[in-house]
Amino acid sequence: MYICGTIGFRPIDIQDLELLRGLHNEASTLLQLGNVDMVSSEEQVAWWKRLAGSERNKRYSLVEIASNQVVGMLRVQNIEQANGNCEIGLDILPSLRGRGYGRASYQCILEYLFLHANMHMVYLKVGNFNERALQLYKALKFEQTGHFKEYLYRDGKYWDYLIMCMTRDVYFNNRGENESRR
């Protein structure tokens, strides 16, 4: 497990699958994702097995260290080692949102990717309707660098899917500021 203070992440274990499937299928999580398809237990297991050994797509269970409780899931995907970039995202269990797990988890994965996985640029995508996430990403020093116009269909309306990036230089320039918030 990779640990950063009170939070850590580890590969998803089989016993995590049902909890993470419930998180994925829960409306407040599902409607933030690019694909709104719910998954069955069988599909969840098949997805987990497909990820095994993938060099381009990784998923991790987010764990609160003190309780050893899974608090969410972390995505590192579209990994391009040759160019040193990847996409990240995470989902926190609805009952545990608002407790700082999102900020701590992003700080942890950014530390891991920039200090140990030799990433140069990390990006994420977010619907322009998700104000809470946008505030967090801006506080972490992600910069909006583009968007997919009217990409997401939610609540009977099309929304832009914003692309936000952070480079290694930005991470190191702001590292102390973000660490003081842990």
Side-chain angles (χ1 to χ4, degrees):
M1 179 173 328
Y2 189 81
I3 299 172
C4 302
T6 62
I7 199 86
F9 63 91
R10 60 168 170 72
I12 295 172
D13 290 330
I14 195 163
Q15 65 266 22
D16 302 335
L17 290 180
E18 192 56 30
L19 176 73
L20 296 177
R21 184 180 76 83
L23 170 60
H24 174 87
N25 287 344
E26 197 276 325
S28 67
T29 301
L30 186 66
L31 296 177
Q32 303 303 318
L33 302 173
N35 181 336
V36 295
D37 291 339
M38 290 186 278
V39 295
S40 68
S41 296
E42 294 80 16
E43 290 168 322
Q44 184 80 349
V45 171
W47 162 84
W48 179 65
K49 287 179 179 179
R50 278 193 311 274
L51 282 174
S54 174
E55 293 184 18
R56 287 194 36 89
N57 297 293
K58 307 285 184 186
R59 299 296 187 278
Y60 301 99
S61 290
L62 290 166
V63 179
E64 179 188 59
I65 300 306
S67 66
N68 200 35
Q69 174 187 5
V70 174
V71 299
M73 186 185 71
L74 175 64
R75 295 180 300 280
V76 181
Q77 57 199 34
N78 302 315
I79 301 166
E80 293 193 25
Q81 282 298 145
N83 296 311
N85 63 66
C86 64
E87 179 179 355
I88 62 173
L90 63 87
D91 305 310
I92 302 294
L93 293 169
S95 63
L96 300 175
R97 292 178 187 159
R99 297 182 185 186
Y101 290 124
R103 176 184 295 275
S105 298
Y106 275 114
Q107 288 172 334
C108 191
I109 192 59
L110 290 169
E111 174 184 293
Y112 176 79
L113 292 169
F114 287 125
L115 270 71
H116 307 295
N118 198 28
M119 288 294 121
H120 175 72
M121 188 273 295
V122 172
Y123 66 97
L124 53 82
K125 296 181 284 203
V126 59
N128 66 334
F129 54 83
N130 191 342
E131 285 298 323
R132 190 171 175 183
L134 284 167
Q135 286 178 346
L136 173 60
Y137 303 148
K138 289 175 185 174
L140 291 170
K141 305 300 185 194
F142 278 89
E143 174 187 351
Q144 183 183 336
T145 58
H147 68 279
F148 295 107
K149 184 138 185 84
E150 298 181 0
Y151 184 89
L152 299 170
Y153 185 73
R154 302 291 183 277
D155 297 319
K157 178 179 173 183
Y158 285 96
W159 301 84
D160 291 351
Y161 211 16
L162 308 180
I163 303 165
M164 301 183 80
C165 299
M166 180 185 294
T167 62
R168 176 189 299 268
D169 289 343
V170 169
Y171 172 78
F172 282 111
N173 287 338
N174 295 289
R175 186 170 179 211
E177 178 184 332
N178 284 330
E179 284 183 344
S180 67
R181 294 182 184 159
R182 281 189 187 174

